[in-house]
Each structure stands twice: as structure tokens, then as C-alpha cells.
Amino acid sequence: MFERLLKKKDINAILREAEGKNDGLRRNLSAANLVTLGIGAIVGTGIFVITGTAAANYAGPALTISFLISALCCVLAGLCYAEFAAMIPVAGSVYSYSYSTMGEFLAWFIGWILILEYLFACSSVAVGWSGYMMSLCEGWGIHVPWHLAYATFDHTSEGWIMTGSLFNFPAVFIVAIITSLLLGGIKQSALINNVIVVIKVGVILLFIGFGLSHIDLGNWSPYIPENTGEFGSFGWSGILRGAGVVFYAYLGFDALSTAAQEAKNPQKDMPKGILISLLVCAVLYIGVTAVLTGIVNYKELDVAAPIALAIDRTGESLAWLSPFVKLGAIAGLSSVILVMMLGQSRIYYAISKDGLLPKFFSKVNLKHGTPQNATIFASIVTGLFAGLFPLNVLSELVSIGTLMAFMVVCISIVVLRKTQPDLKRPFRTPFVPFVPLLGAAICLMQMVALPFSTWVRLIIWTLVGFVIYFGYGIKHSKLNKK
């Protein structure tokens, strides 16, 4: 039994399999497509949704420092991702990397965590999309009934409560629209994403440029609000907790690695896509956070659409920008959902190909070259969570899943350098083991800073994953059958 849990896939066999028929997945993504997919996934969640919540509850104006900490961790992890993505250019991301370095059981564990990561990323961004769409509709005089626009459940200091709303209809609606686009094929999805990225980056630059003249320096004082006496509630512990919460805003380059099997030249282009998109987005995040907390006092930013609030606070001078920002946010969040849904479906596909999930999930539509069943299933579960739960609960689960995945990648680089030093590495992480170990340490530090309730939910999710693996996966594993 123990040997079966630790059995590893041979990297050379993985590469030979990927170079064959490719199981219906098509290599249509260029380096430019990969960069825009990365930006499409990253820019949106952090800027348009979670920035306000994290500033109001954890770090105040010092959220810029939180983003810097997270950016440093992401660069370190991104270098490790780049080495793996170039060396093992297949669908599956960290799951596939772990299978070849740490064995089947740990691969399943991290694959299950990746499902958590992408599922709740899609759901939380869909909730944010709903907030901006509601704001835009109100501006146009369109009223959406309350019982069809908010989550069914909420989590307060007193525990779980029923809100009285039926479900968040706009959040479910956008998930359905994105699913229909993804089913049309990766080439079509990438083209739509390119257009959306140009629009949303343009809108963000307009907000930064015109918002600078409306900054009230008094809103930055104190820059680091005094700690309330509770860990994670402002002060430096709040900055650290804020870094852990906003960390999932950098999730895009992680999702990018799930599309490696659909890249034209993954050995060269995957590292470019990961690192360039990450650096561009880090600069945009810090700029928007500084302007946002300068225009609106951080105490008032605990809303689903913080940038829309900031625009409204400037009065008539930037009123013309409000519809553009809201439309840019809606478009931007749509591209985030698109890439996260793409990543989620590819994780189901990769795990199913190894037999750890039913083969239903690895069926590919031969006309469009997409994992059809995995995409439809991902849309159903994403829509359920987006319709039923609030933003704060979903975003914290994404953060802890992302941090754990990044930590595993960093450790795996060190393990593989020791166990298989002669493998061909088109891209090499610099300063090993210093860079990966530092990246793993920062990830662990941010995980520890997250609320205890988030850890409880992670443990419950993990236990469910263990039941599925020992009840189904280990019996149907193709590697163990061999």
C-alpha cells in the first residue's frame, strides 16, 4: 500500500505521451496569447474586488505593502513554475509536477487543493462581477430584485446565517456565458481574452492617471493603522494577513501553466508568459491600491465594487469615467473567470487521464479540442458556490489553496534538482535552493496568518478529498495498474 501511494510517473514517459496525439488538445497558443492569458487571469480579482475588503479589514492604506509581499512571493514561485512548465509542458500544472517528483498520493492531494483553488477563484470573481454589474444597472435605472442578487448564506461573527436572498443570479449568469465560450475552443477563448485585456488595462491606466489628482493625503494617515489588539487586524500583522488574503489576486500565472499542453512552443513561451504577466500585474496592483486608498478612506472600502465607489466619490470631475471603469471591471472580471474556468477544467482532465477521477472528465470534443465534460461540470459547481456564498468566505479559501500549491512547487524544484539533476531544463530557476526555499517560507508565513476558520474549511475539504482518493482513485489509478 505504502509503495503505491509513493509511486511516481516517469517524466520522459509524460513527455512522450504529450508529444503524441495530444489526446485531442490542440497547440494553438502563442507567446503573446500566454502573456495576455496571464494578465487576463491576474488583473481583475485583486484590483476590482478584493482590494477594498482587504484594506478595510486588515491593512488600511498599507495594503500596498501587502501587495509587495505577495508580489515577492509570486516572483519566487513564478521562477519555479517557469522551470516546471518548460520542463513538463502538459496539462495539470502542479498536480502533474508533483506526480513526477513526490508520488501519486501527494499529487492527488495537491490536485484536490488545485480544484479548491480554481473553483473558489471562479466563484469569488463571479460574485465580484455581480457587484459591478449591479452598480452599472443601478446607474442605468435598472433595478435587480434583492432576492436575486445576493448570496443565500453569509458568515458573520455569530456563525452562518441565511440572508433571505434566493441566490446571486448575476454571478450564475456570467458563469454560464463563460462556459459557452470555453466550449468553442481554446483559440476562440484566447482571442476574446486578448480583446478584453486591452480594454481593462486601458481602463485601469485611466483610473490611475486621472485619479492621482483626487488623492487626499489625509486618507493615507496613518499609513499603517494601529493594531486593534487582535492578530491580523491592522498593524504589521494586518499587513501580513492582507498579503495572505490578496495573494490569490496573483493566481493567473498558476492557471496559465495548466494550458502548457496547448502552447505552440511551451519550452520557450511558458516562462515568458508566466514572468511577464506577473510583473505587469504587480505594478498595476500597487498603483491602483495607492490611488484607491488615497481617494476613499480605507474604513469605507468594504464593498464589492471599491473602484466604482472611488469614482463616485470624486463627484462631477470624473463622472465621465464611471461607466468606463464599471464596464472595464465587468470585462476584466469576465476574463479572470474565463482563465480560471479553463484551468479548473484542465485539472479535472489531467487527473481523470491518470484514472484518479472517472474517465468521464477526460472526454475531449474532437471538433473544438476542449475537455467538454470537465468544462460543463466545472461550470455547474462554480455556479452553485457563486450563487450561494459571499465574497469573503470564497476569497479566503482561494488564498490558502494558492499558497499551498505554490509552496509545493517551490519544494518540488529542490527535490527534483537532487533526485534527477540531469533532466533537460529549458529554463532554470536561479539560485537554487535559496530562491525556492525562500518562496516556500514566505508562502507558509502567509498561510499561518490566515484566519483559523479558513484552516478549518481547508481541513474539511482535504478530508473529503481523502475519501474520494481511497474510495475511488487508488483502485482505478492507471499507474498502479501498470
Side-chain angles (χ1 to χ4, degrees):
M1 170 67 80
F2 189 70
E3 290 182 358
R4 295 176 69 183
L5 297 179
L6 297 180
K7 199 167 185 179
K8 302 172 185 175
K9 291 183 73 173
D10 179 66
I11 292 180
N12 291 320
I14 296 174
L15 296 177
R16 285 195 299 272
E17 182 180 341
E19 290 169 0
K21 295 181 179 180
N22 212 24
D23 299 311
L25 298 182
R26 300 172 186 172
R27 294 197 180 275
N28 287 318
L29 300 177
S30 64
N33 290 146
L34 292 170
V35 171
T36 53
L37 276 174
I39 295 174
I42 300 171
V43 175
T45 313
I47 289 181
F48 293 119
V49 179
I50 202 64
T51 307
T53 303
N57 296 318
Y58 304 121
L63 188 66
T64 51
I65 301 177
S66 300
F67 272 114
L68 277 172
I69 294 172
S70 289
L72 172 61
C73 186
C74 284
V75 168
L76 297 174
L79 290 168
C80 298
Y81 263 98
E83 177 171 323
F84 267 125
M87 183 171 57
I88 312 175
V90 296
S93 184
V94 194
Y95 162 77
S96 298
Y97 310 154
S98 301
Y99 214 148
S100 58
T101 56
M102 298 185 178
E104 181 176 284
F105 177 70
L106 286 175
W108 164 262
F109 170 72
I110 201 62
W112 187 243
I113 295 299
L114 285 175
I115 291 173
L116 166 80
E117 179 183 335
Y118 294 130
L119 169 59
F120 288 98
C122 292
S123 302
S124 62
V125 180
V127 173
W129 187 95
S130 173
Y132 272 93
M133 179 56 77
M134 290 279 292
S135 177
L136 189 64
C137 288
E138 292 291 337
W140 288 344
I142 302 172
H143 178 68
V144 180
W146 182 86
H147 63 277
L148 291 178
Y150 292 94
T152 309
F153 303 99
D154 196 6
H155 189 264
T156 68
S157 57
E158 298 178 358
W160 288 99
I161 61 170
M162 297 280 289
T163 64
S165 173
L166 293 179
F167 71 109
N168 192 331
F169 173 76
V172 176
F173 172 77
I174 186 57
V175 171
I177 294 297
I178 294 299
T179 301
S180 65
L181 294 176
L182 287 171
L183 290 173
I186 189 71
K187 194 171 184 179
Q188 172 186 292
S189 301
L191 178 61
I192 294 171
N193 178 72
N194 291 347
V195 175
I196 293 175
V197 165
V198 171
I199 294 172
K200 71 176 177 180
V201 170
V203 168
I204 289 166
L205 293 176
L206 284 175
F207 173 73
I208 294 174
F210 287 98
L212 285 171
S213 61
H214 292 272
I215 290 176
D216 179 359
L217 296 180
N219 288 328
W220 286 348
S221 180
Y223 184 67
I224 303 178
E226 185 177 353
N227 183 264
T228 61
E230 180 183 351
F231 182 86
S233 182
F234 305 109
W236 281 100
S237 67
I239 291 173
L240 188 59
R241 176 163 290 181
V245 170
V246 302
F247 191 83
Y248 92 104
Y250 290 100
L251 183 63
F253 75 87
D254 171 40
L256 186 59
S257 66
T258 66
Q261 200 164 331
E262 292 157 277
K264 292 180 180 177
N265 189 356
Q267 285 81 6
K268 291 183 179 180
D269 294 344
M270 288 303 299
K272 292 178 184 177
I274 289 172
L275 297 174
I276 293 174
S277 61
L278 180 57
L279 292 173
V280 168
C281 295
V283 172
L284 292 175
Y285 274 10
I286 293 168
V288 166
T289 303
V291 173
L292 181 65
T293 55
I295 295 176
V296 182
N297 188 282
Y298 71 92
K299 297 177 182 177
E300 303 173 45
L301 285 173
D302 193 8
V303 294
I307 291 183
L309 173 64
I311 292 292
D312 292 341
R313 286 295 177 85
T314 61
E316 294 296 325
S317 59
L318 288 185
W320 63 272
L321 187 56
S322 181
F324 290 103
V325 168
K326 292 174 183 177
L327 284 171
I330 289 169
L333 293 172
S334 299
S335 70
V336 175
I337 299 169
L338 186 148
V339 183
M340 295 298 103
M341 286 281 289
L342 184 149
Q344 186 184 163
S345 63
R346 270 55 176 181
I347 293 296
Y348 291 132
Y349 167 84
I351 297 176
S352 175
K353 288 294 294 180
D354 292 325
L356 304 184
L357 283 176
K359 61 181 181 180
F360 166 86
F361 292 104
S362 56
K363 181 180 179 180
V364 173
N365 183 299
L366 297 180
K367 180 180 178 180
H368 300 294
T370 58
Q372 178 177 292
N373 293 343
T375 302
I376 293 172
F377 178 79
S379 73
I380 293 172
V381 291
T382 298
L384 281 173
F385 280 105
L388 297 176
F389 297 101
L391 179 64
N392 61 315
V393 172
L394 298 170
S395 62
E396 287 177 358
L397 279 168
V398 177
S399 291
I400 198 165
T402 307
L403 286 163
M404 184 166 290
F406 285 11
M407 186 170 68
V408 169
V409 168
C410 291
I411 294 172
S412 295
I413 285 292
V414 179
V415 172
L416 204 58
R417 286 286 185 94
K418 291 290 185 182
T419 57
Q420 300 190 54
D422 298 326
L423 280 174
K424 182 180 178 182
R425 291 174 169 84
F427 178 88
R428 297 178 68 89
T429 305
F431 307 113
V432 174
F434 174 74
V435 165
L437 290 181
L438 180 60
I442 296 176
C443 287
L444 181 60
M445 180 176 66
Q446 292 182 88
M447 288 175 68
V448 171
L450 287 169
F452 177 72
S453 59
T454 304
W455 281 92
V456 172
R457 294 168 197 152
L458 176 67
I459 292 170
I460 294 172
W461 179 266
T462 301
L463 291 175
V464 172
F466 286 171
V467 170
I468 295 173
Y469 176 73
F470 288 107
Y472 179 89
I474 195 170
K475 299 174 184 176
H476 296 84
S477 167
K478 291 183 180 179
L479 184 64
N480 278 311
K481 284 183 179 179
K482 291 179 183 178

